[in-house]
Amino acid sequence: MSMAGTRRFFAALLALLCLVGTALAFDEALVRRAERAIEEYRPQLLNISKELQNPALDEQQLVTFRDRLELIRADAVKLSTSLAAPIAEVNQQLASLGPAPGGNDTEPSSVADERRDLLASLNRLSGIKSRLDVGAVEAEQMAGRIAAIQRNSFLERIFESDRPILSPSLWVDTGAGISLFASRLGGLFAAWWDEVAPTANFRTLLLIPIFASMLGVGYVLLRRGLVRWTRSRPREQQIPNDLNRLWRIFRALITTVVALIILYAPVRVALKLGGFITPRFDLILTAVFELILASLIYYVLALRVSSPGNPAWRIINLGDVAASRLPVLVGIAGLVSVGNERMLALADAVFLPVSYTIGQSALSALTMLILLSLIV
């Protein structure tokens, strides 16, 4: 075979490979589905935006709108994520063609045609992905507007005098809201798993015990050094004064906070590096951490102030029975207080009706009243 024949053979082979590569670059059905979804989202978003201008919207309409916006947002995010792989494939094929010739240099017409087709496909895919991202952002923003309307409605309705705390309808709405909350929280976890499962790196979870062990050893060594530096005599030989008592409380609080950070920080870092954290999952993770942290701080503070079984270190004037009961009651009060705030935030995130949040706040207030009466 002559040299010219060899060149023609390889040029034809390259063109064939490029043609096959283009056919396999992406799933056309997926792209068309994304385009149809964009066409469906646009009128729905415009209609909801127009309806939000109506001041006479009732609670059920707001909940329905938020549900629809969440479906649009979740679907847009899912489709946008699914287009990342086709875009990467097209970019890879463009890179395999090499840089475009500059100046007066030319390339074979088959390669030039293939480069043009790939660039057109890349622009098409990138444009669809951008429009999906814009749709997801618009849905998120509209959901935020509805949340603001619901919060205003909550502040107006919470002081209604025609619906006392013992009203049966209040607790019926609260019970229905609890069931709905559990269902939507389960749906939130399912959507989170569908989003992160394809791309998450599970090996990063092995970093949790490693980081926790390193931080724990460092904390123990540092604590031993501080104890040796601040304590001149064994505790059993000390006659505590007010400064000793206050320092004991402060040290216990610092120990509690640091211990929780040692447990929480490795988990968060590993989940972040592994791609497990999404905005809504982060809301739940942060809520759980704040709930545990606040409850333990309240409990440890009350424990050190009352010092059950050790009256010499007791700050307040309590009997042994009251001192032993105080830490548990204060810890539960902290759990209820912070838990109510976090639950309201989660209820807002999963689009629960205002009637549920009113009932939840009433239940929290009633529980706090009972706890305060037991503490006092």
Side-chain angles (χ1 to χ4, degrees):
M1 183 182 293
S2 64
M3 186 63 69
T6 302
R7 286 199 203 95
R8 284 194 295 271
F9 172 76
F10 281 109
L13 180 61
L14 178 61
L16 179 62
L17 291 174
C18 291
L19 182 62
V20 174
T22 303
L24 299 177
F26 54 85
D27 183 4
E28 183 65 27
L30 174 64
V31 178
R32 290 179 180 174
R33 182 188 166 210
E35 289 177 327
R36 287 195 303 270
I38 293 173
E39 293 175 358
E40 293 173 0
Y41 296 160
R42 181 51 47 193
Q44 294 182 50
L45 292 173
L46 290 175
N47 180 62
I48 294 175
S49 178
K50 181 180 178 181
E51 290 291 337
L52 290 180
Q53 306 299 324
N54 181 8
L57 287 174
D58 59 30
E59 179 183 331
Q60 187 56 48
Q61 287 176 303
L62 293 174
V63 173
T64 301
F65 287 155
R66 288 193 72 175
D67 287 342
R68 184 57 196 158
L69 288 170
E70 175 59 19
L71 290 175
I72 293 175
R73 187 204 66 82
D75 194 46
V77 170
K78 185 177 180 180
L79 288 173
S80 176
T81 303
S82 66
L83 290 178
I87 290 175
E89 291 178 13
V90 174
N91 280 321
Q92 185 177 5
Q93 290 190 19
L94 279 171
S96 67
L97 294 179
N104 296 325
D105 297 335
T106 59
E107 58 183 353
S109 59
S110 58
V111 177
D113 292 341
E114 181 59 26
R115 187 187 302 279
R116 184 182 62 253
D117 293 341
L118 287 173
L119 286 173
S121 298
L122 179 61
N123 292 333
R124 179 190 176 197
L125 291 171
S126 299
I128 295 173
K129 188 176 187 303
S130 298
R131 292 167 66 189
L132 287 170
D133 293 338
V134 170
V137 171
E138 288 183 5
E140 188 79 24
Q141 291 176 343
M142 287 187 194
R145 288 173 56 191
I146 295 177
I149 296 173
Q150 289 181 313
R151 281 193 294 271
N152 292 335
S153 175
F154 169 78
L155 293 175
E156 292 173 359
R157 293 182 58 186
I158 197 171
F159 297 107
E160 288 180 351
S161 59
D162 58 343
R163 204 181 192 197
I165 194 170
L166 298 179
S167 171
S169 62
L170 176 65
W171 300 110
V172 169
D173 290 342
T174 304
I178 291 174
S179 175
L180 184 60
F181 179 76
S183 174
R184 294 194 177 179
L185 200 60
L188 188 149
F189 275 111
W192 163 77
W193 182 251
D194 291 339
E195 183 177 348
V196 303
T199 58
N201 183 4
F202 291 88
R203 289 177 295 180
T204 58
L205 299 180
L206 298 175
L207 297 174
I208 295 176
I210 297 174
F211 286 163
S213 300
M214 293 173 58
L215 292 174
V217 170
Y219 168 71
V220 169
L221 295 176
L222 179 62
R223 185 176 183 275
R224 286 180 180 176
L226 288 175
V227 168
R228 284 195 297 267
W229 177 56
T230 57
R231 186 183 298 168
S232 58
R233 292 178 296 174
R235 179 176 297 174
E236 59 272 11
Q237 299 178 7
Q238 291 183 9
I239 300 176
N241 53 33
D242 291 341
L243 184 60
N244 296 140
R245 295 186 182 97
L246 292 176
W247 169 243
R248 181 170 176 261
I249 296 172
F250 179 74
R251 186 175 63 235
L253 292 176
I254 292 297
T255 301
T256 302
V257 172
V258 173
L260 284 176
I261 291 176
I262 288 174
L263 295 175
Y264 174 72
V267 173
R268 184 174 185 83
V269 170
L271 291 176
K272 185 71 174 178
L273 293 177
F276 290 93
I277 293 184
T278 61
R280 280 174 170 74
F281 181 77
D282 185 47
L283 182 67
I284 297 176
L285 184 64
T286 303
V288 172
F289 174 71
E290 290 180 356
L291 189 62
I292 296 174
L293 177 63
S295 302
L296 285 179
I297 285 179
Y298 279 109
Y299 175 79
V300 171
L301 178 61
L303 183 67
R304 283 294 183 257
V305 167
S306 61
S307 293
N310 198 354
W313 292 89
R314 193 170 297 162
I315 297 292
I316 54 180
N317 185 18
L318 288 176
D320 291 339
V321 176
S324 62
R325 186 177 59 186
L326 181 66
V328 176
L329 294 176
V330 171
I332 296 175
L335 178 68
V336 172
S337 177
V338 178
N340 181 57
E341 295 179 5
R342 294 298 92 203
M343 290 288 284
L344 288 175
L346 290 177
D348 182 67
V350 296
F351 317 138
L352 291 186
V354 175
S355 57
Y356 163 73
T357 56
I358 294 175
Q360 177 190 311
S361 298
L363 180 62
S364 175
L366 185 60
T367 305
M368 288 293 293
L369 183 62
I370 296 173
L371 289 172
L372 288 174
S373 66
L374 292 174
I375 292 173
V376 174

